[in-house]
Amino acid sequence: MDFTYKYTDGQQRFRGEVQSWLKANLPHEVQDSSGQPVLDQTSWGVCAALREKLGAKGWLASQEPMERVGKGLDPADATVLFEELDARGLGWLLEETAGALRAIARCDAQGDRESWANAIANGRIGCWRSQIDSIDDLDPGDWGIQVTRDADDRILDGEGIFQGRDPAPGYLWTLAVHDPEGDPEQAFSAFLIPPNLDGISIHPVRRMSPDPAHRICFDQVRVPPHCLLGQEKDGWDLAQSTFPIPFATAYTSVQDQPLDDLLDYARTTTVQGVSIAAEPVRQQLLMEAYINRGIQRLFRMRDTWMRSTGTALTYHAAQTRLWEQRSALRLSEITREVLGVYALLDHRDPRAPNNGNFELQQRLALTNSSASGSDSKIIARALGLASQEPERVGSSAG
Amino acid sequence: MDLALNEVQTMLQNSAREFMEAEMPKSRVLEIDDSPSGFAVDLWEKMCGIGWSGMAVPEEYGGSGNSFTDLGVIYEMMGYYACSSPHLSSAVLCSQVILEAGNQEQKQALLPPIASGQQIFSLALTEPEYGWGADTVHLQATRHNGSFTLEGDKLFIPDANVADRLLVVARTTAGADPEHGISIFIVDKDAPGVSVRVQTGWIGPKVCEVNFANVSVSESNVLGPVDGAWPAIATSLDRGTALLCAYMAGGTQKVFEMARDYSQTRIAFGVPIGTFQRVQDHVIDALNEADAAKWSAYEALWKLDQDDPGASLSISMAKAVASTGFPSACEASHHVHAGIGTDLEFGLTQYTKRARTLQHYLGDAIYHKARMAKLLAV
């Protein structure tokens, strides 16, 4: 056995290249963001400029083939790139882009779609994507956007919640349902739609998550045929293969700045002359969070090792995600217990500990836990705990 | 990174599984648990016969000098089959204390019979003020005319009832530093003034109260330096704890599998109960505990083998995980099994009993989290 994760010389060289590039190109305010969401600390303009630079470098589409729009990096180097960006709170730039590009890549990238792919890969525009909490729980009867066919065009009607950090979308990536009563695998088509088509209206949604969300209404929107991704009714399969984006679970290190910050805070903050960390109850809670991170690291390491040896992952990736979601939620509880009411102060309050990032972690943990039901279902299925619902082909974790 | 067992470990795993499968059916586990001593001589002789008792002992002292990971593979299997034996007490904890603290003469005299299994040793450490740190050692050893006199009680001592000899941890000097002033004494269990009583309760493996009433020990039976034995004890406890974690991981895996299998076959309302989400949640919780226990235990064992400076931290993390996870997984499995799970002959309760006993043995989660905080300077 060997529990040390060793990067190859090639990966180390590439890491050096990435770090040098980031040092030269990252705006000052993002240089030391320590894994926190950058958009809370800086303006969109800074992020947009950075995205274009990453696009020009070819790193937004790092794994796409070079004959298309990408850099053609192998997965090991792509992981290093993601690690470096994620450590600076910028991993989402790759994730957002990769999702759209993977969807387009599943189709014949010709004509309009090729120019869209180029625009996205170059970082000039971004996509808003319809929110899918859990691909395994996708219920055609509960999906808000319907599609009907009219000659070669499709007509979209209804509304949905979309996510995307761009203030305005370059394109809308969505599923639309043909048959609300049908089998999920056959009920959806996927579309990449310009947002300026007649009948589309966009409304902001206020939510607890710092990630922006938008309600988009489709009122008899006529969508031309080239906006259809893949074949008719390929939507579920297409969404399945592009969601979730695998970056975050593909690397073994665990960026958990909120926990490191909490440990530092507890070490250095005193109450009646005694550090918070020395108080036995709080100390136990802090170590519980530390252990959760340790297990998270071991699960990731196991998954990476299984992938590297060609061992099939059954429940494993879903278990890792589930553990991470639960650990993040537990950390948010522990944060409140260790900090008391100070844990609720955000970055606007001068008395907020850690510039309000403890408060931010609590909201993010709750938001990101929304897919845990899906992961539980994947695990249950892999364990042979048959569901009363029809089995869906190709929905195993991995 | 390579999380696979090597060839030797794979072979050990297979042979241990075969051995346990043959020797430890659930009826046998129950039979041993129900016996007054909790000890099966024939099983122990067979374990020694295939060399398990000597695995932690270097070859020069009659053992086979295996790695801790090698032993961990065996311990995982022992835990999976709920095997009771004095192996951890004698072949691991006491052998390691002797290795770390003993002089050459003592090692040559004491280790070969441990390695062969001819003699069983038990480590008498914990006391009425139950704990695993040096600060809980109060039993007095008073020096007088070239010998020591032991006076006091030890509690919750595994295998003292079946041991030939005890390694008694006692305080020879009181002072501000609790780790200073601790010595180890080799005491025959049948020595005048020593009495052993098996404690009662829902405890497994069995533990004993050992009373020392004016027990005289010669200086030649002091193991290691007078007043300076704690470092050897702490090192040995770490090694034993890592292996205990592997045992608990094996037990946790078994109760998960029991829950999974039962939920696939037990029909309620015309369908397997595993189709109910609440039942699935219990099974998944047990799985998560099993995997967390397994990988944290193996990382700890690997670090021990590497002499990694972070080994103690990983060992404490693994024990905190196992001490919480094994009982939790048992409870989850009981929820899945409902009434039948409490039937002693069904087989689940033997694991629950061990989970609740071993939760405390060699330090519970509270103790190990506090130790982690100290190691991390939190």
Side-chain angles (χ1 to χ4, degrees):
Chain A
M1 284 187 157
D2 181 353
F3 281 80
T4 48
Y5 183 76
K6 297 183 184 76
Y7 292 96
T8 63
D9 290 344
Q11 280 179 302
Q12 295 287 29
R13 274 194 302 276
F14 183 63
R15 187 184 298 283
E17 181 188 342
V18 173
Q19 287 173 340
S20 299
W21 188 90
L22 290 173
K23 193 172 182 182
N25 290 280
L26 237 54
H28 171 72
E29 55 268 54
V30 183
Q31 283 283 356
D32 187 27
S33 57
S34 302
Q36 302 297 337
V38 170
L39 269 180
D40 261 35
Q41 302 172 23
T42 187
S43 67
W44 170 251
V46 171
C47 293
L50 178 63
R51 186 173 67 185
E52 283 205 50
K53 285 184 181 176
L54 282 165
K57 185 77 179 165
W59 284 350
L60 276 181
S62 56
Q63 289 188 81
E64 294 297 319
M66 294 184 76
E67 63 271 21
R68 291 172 71 99
V69 293
K71 189 75 172 174
L73 291 183
D74 69 39
D77 282 350
T79 299
V80 167
L81 175 62
F82 181 78
E83 282 178 3
E84 290 299 322
L85 283 166
D86 200 42
R88 295 161 177 81
L90 294 164
W92 56 271
L93 279 169
L94 295 190
E95 290 183 315
E96 281 195 351
T97 308
L101 290 173
R102 285 173 71 179
I104 295 172
R106 287 282 308 271
C107 320
D108 294 331
Q110 293 173 348
D112 286 342
R113 278 202 296 263
E114 190 164 346
S115 67
W116 298 349
N118 277 316
I120 293 168
N122 290 332
R124 293 199 302 275
I125 58 168
C127 275
W128 288 1
R129 180 185 173 115
S130 53
Q131 178 180 305
I132 303 172
D133 283 339
S134 158
I135 194 71
D136 282 289
D137 289 334
L138 203 54
D139 176 4
D142 192 40
W143 191 252
I145 303 169
Q146 292 84 41
V147 59
T148 52
R149 187 159 186 166
D150 182 18
D152 286 342
D153 291 341
R154 274 76 175 174
I155 308 298
L156 265 55
D157 215 23
E159 64 177 54
I161 300 295
F162 284 69
Q163 292 176 312
R165 288 174 173 82
D166 290 68
Y171 293 95
L172 303 173
W173 194 113
T174 188
L175 296 179
V177 64
H178 292 269
D179 177 10
E181 305 290 321
D183 179 347
E185 292 173 44
Q186 302 294 325
F188 294 97
S189 288
F191 296 92
L192 196 63
I193 307 167
N196 55 356
L197 296 180
D198 285 345
I200 292 178
S201 59
I202 299 174
H203 313 273
V205 177
R206 295 185 64 216
R207 299 201 303 185
M208 67 179 294
S209 163
D211 298 336
H214 323 271
R215 182 182 307 282
I216 300 186
C217 299
F218 297 83
D219 182 10
Q220 294 292 308
V221 176
R222 180 170 293 275
V223 178
H226 64 262
C227 294
L228 178 69
L229 292 173
Q231 301 298 309
E232 190 111 41
K233 300 187 179 179
D234 266 359
W236 189 88
D237 186 41
L238 206 143
Q240 182 79 25
S241 64
T242 59
F243 178 93
I245 307 303
F247 285 118
T249 52
Y251 69 108
T252 55
S253 61
V254 177
Q255 297 291 338
D256 196 353
Q257 194 63 37
L259 174 57
D260 290 336
D261 289 344
L262 184 61
L263 291 171
D264 282 344
Y265 181 85
R267 276 192 196 104
T268 55
T269 306
T270 57
V271 175
Q272 296 178 339
V274 179
S275 89
I276 288 177
E279 194 276 312
V281 173
R282 289 185 171 118
Q283 187 180 78
Q284 290 283 311
L285 292 168
L286 291 166
M287 288 305 98
E288 182 188 337
Y290 183 90
I291 289 168
N292 284 342
R293 177 168 69 178
I295 299 301
Q296 187 176 329
R297 174 181 54 78
L298 286 168
F299 280 1
R300 281 192 181 191
M301 184 175 277
R302 173 201 62 186
D303 295 354
T304 304
W305 168 69
M306 289 176 73
R307 287 190 183 96
S308 70
T309 56
T311 310
L313 282 79
T314 56
Y315 65 82
H316 304 83
Q319 180 191 47
T320 303
R321 288 194 299 270
L322 185 64
W323 188 278
E324 294 187 9
Q325 291 156 9
R326 288 181 177 178
S327 298
L329 271 179
R330 184 67 187 128
L331 177 61
S332 73
E333 291 168 356
I334 288 170
T335 300
R336 288 194 295 281
E337 297 199 48
V338 170
L339 269 68
V341 72
Y342 280 90
L344 304 179
L345 296 176
D346 70 12
H347 66 284
R348 295 167 301 182
D349 193 291
R351 291 189 181 274
N354 192 27
N355 298 321
N357 282 318
F358 292 135
E359 184 277 336
L360 179 63
Q361 187 276 336
Q362 296 167 65
R363 283 186 288 138
L364 284 171
L366 198 54
T367 307
N368 294 338
S369 69
S370 59
S372 61
S374 172
D375 290 320
S376 294
K377 284 183 72 171
I378 293 169
I379 298 169
R381 193 178 303 131
L383 295 179
L385 307 182
S387 166
Q388 293 177 67
E389 300 166 28
E391 286 294 311
R392 293 169 186 169
V393 176
S395 57
S396 62
Chain B
M1 177 176 60
D2 179 7
L3 306 190
L5 299 176
N6 64 27
E7 200 175 333
V8 170
Q9 290 156 359
T10 304
M11 194 183 68
L12 284 170
Q13 187 181 51
N14 291 336
S15 65
R17 185 183 289 113
E18 280 176 27
F19 179 81
M20 285 288 150
E21 191 71 40
E23 299 293 332
M24 295 302 297
K26 60 186 178 185
S27 58
R28 177 75 162 140
V29 175
L30 194 59
E31 179 191 320
I32 296 171
D33 279 6
D34 285 346
S35 69
S37 66
F39 175 57
V41 179
D42 61 329
L43 174 66
W44 176 242
E45 286 175 351
K46 287 177 183 173
M47 290 169 74
C48 298
I50 54 176
W52 288 3
S53 51
M55 288 178 71
V57 177
E59 289 181 25
E60 61 185 297
Y61 303 116
S64 50
N66 286 77
S67 71
F68 290 104
T69 307
D70 291 351
L71 257 174
V73 170
I74 304 283
Y75 266 75
E76 190 184 7
M77 278 298 138
M78 288 202 285
Y80 185 89
Y81 288 91
C83 175
S84 289
S85 79
H87 193 282
L88 186 60
S89 292
S90 186
V92 175
L93 287 169
C94 287
S95 75
Q96 299 307 297
V97 168
I98 293 165
L99 265 176
E100 291 298 314
N103 58 36
Q104 191 60 16
E105 190 182 339
Q106 288 170 325
K107 290 180 196 175
Q108 282 173 342
L110 300 175
L111 288 173
I114 288 179
S116 67
Q118 285 173 316
Q119 285 205 342
I120 295 173
F121 277 59
S122 172
L123 181 66
L125 173 61
T126 51
E127 301 186 5
E129 188 186 310
Y130 188 79
W132 292 90
D135 55 342
T136 61
V137 176
H138 301 297
L139 187 140
Q140 280 296 322
T142 311
R143 198 173 210 158
H144 184 68
N145 288 341
S147 66
F148 288 85
T149 303
L150 303 183
E151 188 76 38
D153 303 322
K154 293 287 182 182
L155 278 187
F156 303 104
I157 309 302
D159 307 305
N161 57 324
V162 298
D164 301 290
R165 306 179 96 174
L166 306 171
L167 296 184
V168 183
V169 181
R171 188 159 291 286
T172 36
T173 302
D177 178 3
E179 294 187 7
H180 176 75
I182 288 178
S183 308
I184 306 167
F185 299 90
I186 307 162
V187 178
D188 284 348
K189 192 190 69 178
D190 298 326
V194 177
S195 60
V196 178
R197 175 183 71 86
V198 175
Q199 296 184 262
T200 59
W202 208 52
I203 300 171
K206 295 192 189 302
V207 292
C208 304
E209 175 174 354
V210 187
N211 307 116
F212 298 87
N214 202 26
V215 175
S216 180
V217 185
S218 67
E219 284 201 12
S220 63
N221 279 327
V222 176
L223 190 67
V226 172
D227 285 344
W230 185 255
I233 296 166
T235 300
S236 306
L237 290 178
D238 256 1
R239 295 170 184 171
T241 304
L243 290 167
L244 178 61
C245 290
Y247 183 100
M248 296 171 80
T252 313
Q253 176 69 21
K254 176 65 178 179
V255 297
F256 150 67
E257 290 179 12
M258 290 175 79
R260 180 198 60 195
D261 296 349
Y262 187 74
S263 68
Q264 287 171 334
T265 53
R266 167 80 169 130
I267 305 295
F269 305 107
V271 294
I273 61 172
T275 60
F276 303 136
Q277 190 177 347
R278 188 74 186 114
V279 173
Q280 292 176 357
D281 287 343
H282 287 310
V283 177
I284 291 168
D285 286 345
L287 169 70
N288 290 344
E289 300 295 0
D291 283 357
K294 174 182 172 174
W295 292 112
S296 58
Y298 273 109
E299 183 180 48
L301 288 162
W302 175 76
K303 285 190 178 179
L304 261 184
D305 285 331
Q306 301 300 310
D307 278 331
D308 188 299
S312 292
L313 180 63
S314 289
I315 289 164
S316 275
M317 181 177 119
K319 186 57 168 58
V321 169
S323 283
T324 310
F326 192 12
S328 293
C330 288
E331 281 166 27
S333 199
H334 274 284
H335 285 308
V336 171
H337 285 89
I340 196 169
T342 60
D343 181 336
L344 293 184
E345 292 182 1
F346 182 76
L348 178 57
T349 54
Q350 286 88 308
Y351 292 91
T352 311
K353 187 162 66 175
R354 279 161 179 74
R356 293 181 180 187
T357 304
L358 301 178
Q359 168 183 352
H360 306 285
Y361 188 41
L362 299 181
D364 60 14
I366 292 173
Y367 169 79
H368 280 285
K369 284 185 203 167
R371 184 169 181 248
M372 288 174 67
K374 195 173 172 186
L375 291 166
L376 287 166
V378 168

